[in-house]
Amino acid sequence: MPIIVDIDVMLAKRKMSVGDLANRVGITPANLAVLKNGRAKAVRFTTLAALCEVLACQPGDLLRWETEDAAGE
């Protein structure tokens, strides 16, 4: 998929666990893992906004687009 999710990068920068982020955002760790691993088909803007608020970042810090060719390399 050409949309790459970089939540794990922000978690490492903020020295935060997946469980802690899930609790602070208000979603289950399982749902956060689906999003973090790029298996989600959609993300609500409210969830994205909560992630950005907790991680003190912009949506572009969490999501990026790559061409199909670059994603497959």
Side-chain angles (χ1 to χ4, degrees):
M1 176 184 279
I3 300 295
I4 309 301
V5 181
D6 287 327
I7 292 175
D8 53 346
V9 173
M10 291 306 297
L11 283 170
K13 287 182 179 180
R14 303 297 188 253
K15 296 182 173 100
M16 188 180 297
S17 71
V18 172
D20 187 32
L21 178 60
N23 286 337
R24 292 176 64 181
V25 170
I27 61 176
T28 66
N31 283 341
L32 182 57
V34 167
L35 180 59
K36 184 175 84 70
N37 295 324
R39 296 189 315 261
K41 298 293 182 194
V43 61
R44 292 176 189 235
F45 283 148
T46 55
T47 302
L48 184 58
L51 286 166
C52 290
E53 183 176 350
V54 171
L55 293 170
C57 67
Q58 294 293 314
D61 296 326
L62 302 177
L63 303 172
R64 61 188 162 91
W65 177 81
E66 288 187 358
T67 63
E68 289 285 342
D69 295 338
E73 294 177 354

